[in-house]
Amino acid sequence: MWFEKSSQEIIKEFNTDVVNGLSSEEALIRREKYGPNKLAEKKEQSILKLLFEQINDVLIYILLGAAVISALLKEISDAVIIVIIVVLNAIIGLIQESKAEKALEALKKLSFPKALVKRNGQIMEISSEDVVVGDIVILEAGKYIPCDLRLIETANLKIEESALTGESVPSQKYAENILKSENIALGDQRNMAFMSTMVTYGRGVGVAVAVGMDTEIGKIAKMLEENKKNSTPLQIKLAQLGKMLGFVVLIICLLMFVVAVIQKRDLFEMFLTAISLAVAAIPEGLPAMVTIVLAVGVQRMIKKNAIIRKLPAIETLGSVNIICSDKTGTLTQNKMTVTRFYADGVLNDISYLDMNNRVHSALVKDMVLCSDATYSEDSRTGDPTEIALLELGVKFNIYKDNENELHSRVDEIPFDSDRKLMTTLNKFGDKYNIITKGAVDNLIKICKSIYANGNMVPFTEELKSKVTAASDSMSNDALRVLGTAFRVVDSTEIEIDSMESDLTFVGLVGMIDPPRENVEKSIEECRKSGIRTVMITGDHKNTAFAIAKELGIAEDSSQVVSGYEFNKLSGSEIEDKIDNLRVFARVSPEHKVNIVRALKKRGNIVSMTGDGVNDAPSLKAADIGVAMGITGTDVAKGASDMILTDDNFSTIVEAVKEGRNIYNNIRKSIVFLLSCNIGEIIALFIGIVLGWPAVLRPIHLLWVNLITDSLPALALGVEPDDPDIMKEKPRDAKKGLFSGKSGVFLIGNGILIGVITLAAFYIGNTIYPNSLMHAQTMAFVVLSVSQLFYTLSIRHSEKSIFEIGIFTNKYLVGAIVLGIVMVNMVIMIPFLASVFKAFRLTLNDWLFVFLLSIIPFILNELGKLIYRKLEKK
């Protein structure tokens, strides 16, 4: 067992180097030998099984039964056509689902957790899939453990292992050896860290001893198999709609059959017609269409630096009306630069730092030593604030590696968001320095002396007010302010709890993180589209307000509140003020959750950004949790719905825009399909009630269903982005798919398509009273072609097709042309014409059916024109 061996034995056994790690060549050899560091995926289903799933439907079984009956009654052509159409529908569904699955698999790969390892003498971030046995892995708070590790170095390391051991409290970890015993449970192996658990506190270093299925979590994974498919709320709604529609259609089919019996029609013909209508009217293609449109949307969003982890997020994005954004790295560049300092009683520009002044020198050295970041010309790893401090040191020839050699770190208290402090214990000759850095207000409380004019003096209230004034001065200029203090002790025998006390205040540094390019423009775009931007930051109120004002988020200081002040507000006060607040400063993780809940309570749909371990609760609480892809911890990413690969606020706005367009496109496809289905039901049912011969043959219905349920609907689903989408207000999440104009539009067009199909049949039957086939063919062409032309007018609810451009959606134009060609093939090719019992239309017939077919398109375009004129008035 790995935990029984000493760290030296482990290092020797895996032939690794603690200082330099593995070489790239050795890592590649080991990856080929042991395979990728990931759990085995479930076996892919065979094509035949997937094909069977496509036809595993009661209505399809009834249709196949009808084909068998047709064959027995020697109606071979009907039987063959039914079977061909069923197979074609299944293949189209299979292709769509396959594309969606591939898109989602690509998405999973993109969201693979990262791991920090030593390779070629450098610390680098790699995909956890590429970790190999023998790798030296660096652990930090907020990171998932990429594989099973034998720890060789720890500093106050705690790991949350509930996913593996069931323990609710994080386990304290040590690098020390454990005495051999037969009864040591996983939870008691204190020198081990296991795959898929998470670091909650401190840091550590470990040697990878097991990867992939050889890990403890891998052993559990062998016993599990996940077959569940997740459906989005929209897909669930559509499934319910399909069931309801199916119930209605079956009743209509039953009524048709009863009427046929009363009218003494051909019962077999009516049986086939009823079944065909049921299959045609129920939009089985909807779930597959929604899946493929969502999957294509996910891929488009990946190209725009937004990874959607959960498909329902796409639907919710269109309703977002508040974006709560972290300041650092999202609204700003995350490239902190120290510009001012305060030391020895003087506030000045950083260029006036004098390394010959021992207070100035101590300020820079302490800031460099009390840091977990690493810095070199080739790489920078760690918090941007700490990297800025290391860059400050480099500017004055003070390098962290050199300082660490001279003043090695013996102990530390890691930074946490409640204390807002970090403390290290460093060796200085035969003594030790406690060095603390962090937020000024917290630091002042634990200091009893200060440097003034080169001398150490008591930290009086007057001197404290001077430090506070210097800090406020920098904060007013939108600078982030950090202070440092120290105390000399004789040995390392010091209680952790007493380290941060009786310190000597050294000085302050002020740094700025400039706004990102295009962020101001994105915030203005949000404002115009009814989306409020709210800044949530750990900075002081003055700093936060300065940046918010520059970006156009806030106009007045009354729109800024601290987390502490917000928590003191009563419920009624929050309700009164929340709509006016734009900046929440000095917030803790608990404040963030309360802010999100307060905004949601007002009926808002809230998006929330975060990157740290403690941001996970607020990301979960928000309607859309957005994690940072670059600076974000694995925990934050795991709790999020969306990950920004560039940590940029503008990407959130692009994602909202994309989400709105995707939802609109899905709605267009659904309205189109249901309108067509209503048209088919009306044409057949009214025709039978009026006592007419069958308006359409069963195979006509199935052919129309094949044409309109596949390519045109999908083409509408990938409609190009509407450039004016952000001029609209956010969609009300409580409203249904068919609220407002959509419901009227759907039913109105369904009736219109049904009526012109009936008109084509009636006029055809009147002109050619001795040729039922002639009239049925005219009805068949009008039903098919009118639906194809109708797709052009459904592309935008208000804009004319001539405004958006006929050829801007080339897929739709192709689908329309292909649909018309397929209808023509059925009529013009003698073999197909005999199978479909279609009549070869004359030139006058074609002119007539074309004029009828274009009516829905013309009326819809006229309706848009009238609507726009009325709206202007």
Side-chain angles (χ1 to χ4, degrees), residues 8 84 87 97 108 168 208 210 216 228 232 239 277 293 388 423 430 447 453 531 576 646 740 756 765 767 777:
Q8 288 77 18
I84 289 171
V87 171
E97 217 167 279
K108 286 177 189 173
S168 57
E216 293 299 328
K228 186 183 174 184
T232 73
L277 180 62
V293 172
T423 298
D430 58 350
C447 291
N453 299 319
I531 300 173
D576 290 339
D646 61 354
I756 61 170
N765 202 36
I767 298 171
T777 304

Side-chain angles (χ1 to χ4, degrees), residues 309 348 413 504 528 595 660:
R309 293 186 66 253
N348 220 326
I413 306 175
T504 299
K528 287 179 179 176
I595 291 162
R660 287 186 177 191

Side-chain angles (χ1 to χ4, degrees), residues 676-735:
C676 296
N677 291 352
I678 288 170
E680 291 164 19
I681 292 167
I682 286 170
L684 264 87
F685 187 67
I686 298 298
I688 286 168
V689 169
L690 293 173
W692 293 359
V695 174
L696 293 159
R697 289 183 172 273
I699 52 173
H700 293 165
L701 277 174
L702 294 172
W703 190 249
V704 171
N705 190 47
L706 179 69
I707 294 168
T708 57
D709 266 17
S710 53
L711 298 178
L714 272 176
L716 279 173
V718 292
E719 178 76 17
D721 292 350
D722 180 0
D724 297 327
I725 195 77
M726 291 302 278
K727 290 180 182 176
E728 299 172 13
K729 298 300 176 190
R731 176 175 55 84
D732 188 341
K734 293 176 184 176
K735 288 187 177 178

Side-chain angles (χ1 to χ4, degrees), residues 41 97 199 259 268 302 360 374 430 436 467 483 592 605-607 609 620 634 651 674 736 759 765 794 812 856 858 868:
E41 295 173 353
E97 217 167 279
V199 180
V259 171
F268 176 69
I302 287 169
H360 290 194
T374 61
D430 58 350
T436 300
V467 171
K592 284 189 175 185
I605 303 297
V606 181
S607 169
T609 69
K620 284 269 188 189
D634 293 333
T651 303
L674 294 182
N765 202 36
I794 207 172
L812 184 59
I858 292 169
R868 285 206 304 273

